[in-house]
Amino acid sequence: MPLPLQGLSAVVTGAGRGLGRAEALELARLGAAVVVNDYGQPGRDGTGEASAGPAEEVAAEIRAAGGSALAHTGDVSDFAQARALVEAAVTAYGKLDILVNNAGILRDRMVFSMTEEEWDCVLRVHLKGHFNTTRFAAAHWRERSKRARGPVFGRIVNTSSEAFLAGSAGQPNYAAAKGGIVGLTTSTALALGKYGVTANAICPRARTRMTEDVFAGIEQPSGTGLDPLAPEHVAPLVGYLASPAAAHVNGQLLVVHGGMVAVVERPRVAARFDSKQDTFTYEELEAVLGPYYADRPAGETFAAAEVLGLRRG
């Protein structure tokens, strides 16, 4: 039987290490040809020996296992380099079918201490980086659909975070970027659905180089068991969302880690109040909203902190 992604091509950003690497390897294992993107040039490793760079190392690993892959070291937060990344996939494989946006950085600090540069660089890499690649992949699929006079195959898997869902006090830049990615995802899902393209977002929890400080207090299990925070727990969901089998999954947000996947429900209206006049007055708002919020649990906000307690049952 053919593999689920046989004959398809994929771009995975931030794929030189950690979560992106696991995702690229999984897509290749399922049959996709992969463009492995990771920012940076070849250099030297810790011993001083010449290094091909993380993107090429992952691409070589895929080829050694019998797959097809090439490396791309462009910066996805740069509009032109994101265009070149999508074009590299189309040039090498004739078309692009799957886009996995994973590239990101952290610059954690409380909002009252954060610098402008720390805010800007995180929003640039995460949110603008997601937009840049999506913009050129979307144009590619729209053009293909026009030529085919009908839907084509396209999949986008974006990377949000529980920091957006739960509210992370020390990560205002990261939480804002990840929330923006969810908005970008749902907008993209609606815009591209008629072309045969789906767009979904995941909130992964994984121990990587980027999150080593975040999960420093959580020990890895002893013995041969897979670390619940291993990126390998996340990659299969990305493979599924990238596949033809997930054609009916669009505009969704899923939390994934440690052998568990949770589907996040969309926001719903909790209460509604109508003015008895043409418009609300301050006094009327105080009369209706004051008692409503007085009866709500202390400290409750729009954030869904309960997602942090999700575990495999």
Side-chain angles (χ1 to χ4, degrees):
M1 290 183 61
L3 295 169
L5 305 183
Q6 195 72 45
L8 302 178
S9 66
V11 163
V12 183
T13 71
R17 302 180 179 90
L19 193 56
R21 172 183 175 274
E23 292 166 346
L25 293 175
E26 177 68 3
L27 295 182
R29 188 187 70 81
L30 294 175
V34 183
V35 179
V36 180
N37 165 263
D38 201 87
Y39 181 50
Q41 299 299 322
R44 298 195 175 274
D45 61 21
T47 67
E49 295 295 322
S51 169
E56 177 54 36
E57 289 169 0
V58 175
E61 187 175 353
I62 290 172
R63 293 193 297 267
S68 177
L70 60 91
H72 184 275
T73 57
D75 178 2
V76 295
S77 71
D78 181 277
F79 198 65
Q81 293 184 53
R83 181 204 299 266
L85 172 58
V86 171
E87 289 176 348
V90 175
T91 299
Y93 302 117
K95 59 185 173 60
L96 174 65
D97 301 293
I98 300 160
L99 171 63
V100 179
N101 283 310
N102 169 75
I105 60 173
L106 289 179
R107 297 292 186 270
D108 294 351
R109 200 178 300 273
M110 299 296 285
V111 68
F112 42 76
S113 302
M114 182 161 288
T115 67
E116 181 180 20
E117 193 277 333
E118 287 168 339
W119 174 271
D120 288 348
C121 68
V122 168
L123 269 290
R124 184 178 67 250
V125 175
H126 287 274
L127 185 52
K128 188 184 178 188
H130 271 62
F131 160 72
N132 285 346
T133 54
T134 297
R135 185 260 184 251
F136 293 111
H140 169 70
W141 288 319
R142 180 173 178 267
E143 182 58 33
R144 279 175 53 193
S145 178
K146 288 171 64 176
R147 292 198 307 267
R149 300 180 181 274
V152 296
F153 185 92
R155 298 286 184 268
I156 299 173
V157 182
N158 288 333
T159 306
S160 184
S161 171
E162 292 170 300
F164 149 68
L165 286 172
S168 182
Q171 297 180 304
N173 48 3
Y174 184 70
K178 292 306 191 182
I181 285 168
V182 174
L184 172 65
T185 302
T186 53
S187 175
T188 302
L190 290 174
L192 301 186
K194 63 183 178 180
Y195 301 118
V197 179
T198 67
N200 295 287
I202 62 171
C203 293
R205 192 185 302 178
R207 194 192 309 273
T208 67
R209 190 177 67 159
M210 190 180 83
T211 62
E212 59 186 355
D213 292 337
V214 177
F215 299 122
I218 303 177
E219 295 184 2
Q220 298 187 39
S222 58
T224 59
L226 185 64
D227 181 358
L229 294 176
E232 287 75 15
H233 288 295
V234 176
L237 176 61
V238 173
Y240 168 73
L241 293 174
S243 74
H248 58 294
V249 185
N250 194 26
Q252 302 298 308
L253 180 65
L254 303 98
V255 175
V256 54
H257 57 82
M260 182 215 73
V261 173
V263 178
V264 179
E265 189 174 25
R266 64 179 176 85
R268 296 184 181 275
V269 176
R272 171 182 160 175
F273 304 97
D274 295 319
S275 174
K276 295 179 181 178
Q277 297 84 230
D278 287 341
T279 187
F280 273 108
T281 63
Y282 169 87
E283 291 77 13
E284 191 179 11
L285 285 170
E286 183 182 30
V288 295
L289 291 179
Y292 175 76
Y293 281 106
D295 291 337
R296 298 292 290 265
E300 181 184 79
T301 72
F302 187 75
E306 62 271 17
V307 299
L308 299 178
L310 290 172
R311 297 289 187 276
R312 179 180 179 182

